[in-house]
Amino acid sequence: MIDSKIPEGPLAEKWSHYKAKAKLVNPANRKKLNIIVVGTGLAGASCAASLAEQGYNVKSFCFQDSARRAHSVAAQGGVNAAKNYKNDGDSTFRMFYDTIKGGDFRSREANVYRLAECSAHLIDHAVAQGVPFAREYAGYLNNRSFGGVQVSRTFYARGQTGQQLLLGAYQALLRQVSLGKVDLNTRHEMLELVVIDGKAKGIIARNLETGAIERHAADAVVLASGGYGKVYYLSTLAMGCNSSAIWRAHKKGAFMAGVSWIQFHPTSLPQHGENQSKLTLMSESLRNDGRIWVPKTAGDDRNPNIIPEEERDYYLERKYPSFGNLAPRDISSRAAKEQIDAGHGVGPMKNAIYLDFSDAIRAQGKDKIEAKYSNLFAMYEKITGINAYKEPMLISPSAHFTMGGLWVDYELMTTIPGLFALGEANFADHGANRLGANSLLQACVDGYFIAPYTIPNYLSGELNAPKIDTSHPAFEEAEKTVQSQLNRFLSSKGTLSTDYFHKKIGRLLYEKCGLSRSKEKLEQALEEIKILKASFEKDLLITGDDKLNSELEKAGRIADYIELAELMCHDALQREESCGAHFREEYQTPDGEAVRNDADFCYVSAWEWKGKEQQPELHKEPLVFESVELAVRSYK
């Protein structure tokens, strides 16, 4: 049985009790301890800066040329916090319940309550860093609403919230770099975790500019390397995003949890051609003022501005009147897919729906809408050539956020002692669906407020442990494993590129383990993945050498994606229910709503790697609800 280490006591007091009893490390001893942090997004940068501020020696790694280029910048719309500035009924418990319900009751109460509890502190912290949140005329911080809630709790900096928060974390990180407490290694990719006597003790990294394989030892390792939505190829994620850090850790003993819980964002720009490599995310905040609709007549090609009101189907407002256009992401995405599949899709490829601001502009004036969303409207026009002040936006669901990741306990530690996972790299807070504006929140809370307590609690027991350096045989063995894989890629004499395999696995997953799944489709997918794995082994072609070589980098990431895709399908096949983003076609109501099975599946699916060509082993973490009642999730 896996131990989630949830503290005793009432829900609202668990985190306070933990902090009061957590073991500490004397300031004089902190400089004797080394920590590796992989990733420099909000979770990684905030964690590295916070631990270095405490006095620990930190090595930070990212594969970008600058820590500031982490994918956290792409989260545009805002960050949630239960401050109740609008006096509209918000509270810590309300935010906790919205998040639990939004995740379709498939997340831990204790973790989610802590997220809501720490949310208010984050806003004060970010303001102190200089994050330019939007303000009302009187100077008070402003709020807007996001999907799945009926209050205004989202703090925002126009449509650049992630970027502004990351700049705050980046400055904190660079301050510690200048003080010599953080050793920042850019253009480095983690390729293996080093485990000694069952504990995480370092990593093997590759210098992407020289090809050199490097060994790095530490007393604890933190993975804050983001999510794996790019496994679908066409997604809202940057091209470099990948699953390799967490997947290599998984193969060394860290369990993966909830891996088939993949969120499709309802407000992305639609695919416009076969040679496209990524999709552009438009902020969910646009759904505050934009109305979503499709023509009632299938195949209607008329300009949207001349389609009369009575011939428009505002289907979210019709189906979910209580939440309307701010229905949660999973529900909104599936509803859009239903309309597109039924022939009501619009745009050149008939794969989009309309997001219309005409009513908001008439009611509020163009200046008000421009003040809220001008950079988003400018970005849309730059990409599409369409002025969204005059004509509805074209939007479509696309692969986005991964609720699954490395299984972690309450301390954010994986099943490998000394290995922690933060932000989107873990599964912890969102259950089967993430509410909008909780992503930036989780990353920041994990890095600023949780890891600085839980990692020292672990390190306090490592002070007297024998010091490990990179001459240990485990480092040599891990390096050989990495070098062997690189050599195998370089010696492959096939004819197919890495992108060919990435597109194949992405299309396969989208069709059979995407917005909807079925037993038949998932079984087909598992058979097709076996064939694709064999083809990848013999048909891959890598040009160039082992130095500066982006194709060689991609080969390792695609190899990991193919194995991950297989586990995703196992996870989706095993979970015989519909919950959140996991929609099994066999388990739905007559009107197409999800049917959850609490009697048999009220648990977190945690998977153990058993070896190549071996079936993964399922471990179940039961979910116990003491403060909320399991209820049918309804937004009607």
Side-chain angles (χ1 to χ4, degrees), residues 103-147:
D104 216 351
F105 301 93
R106 290 294 178 261
S107 51
R108 282 192 209 123
E109 280 190 336
N111 286 69
V112 175
Y113 192 91
R114 180 174 61 184
L115 180 74
E117 182 183 353
C118 293
S119 65
H121 304 310
L122 173 63
I123 301 305
D124 299 336
H125 184 89
V127 168
Q129 286 181 324
V131 173
F133 287 123
R135 294 179 181 268
E136 296 178 336
Y137 181 76
Y140 294 108
L141 294 179
N142 204 356
N143 294 118
R144 53 191 178 202
S145 190
F146 259 56

Side-chain angles (χ1 to χ4, degrees), residues 6 37 73 161 217 232 283 294 305 338 344 352 354 391 399 417 438 483 499 529 552 624:
I6 296 173
V37 180
V73 300
T161 316
Y232 286 88
S283 170
V294 293
N305 289 335
E338 288 173 7
H344 297 275
Y354 290 127
E391 188 175 317
N438 270 352
Q483 192 63 60
D499 282 346
I529 289 170
L552 185 58
V624 179

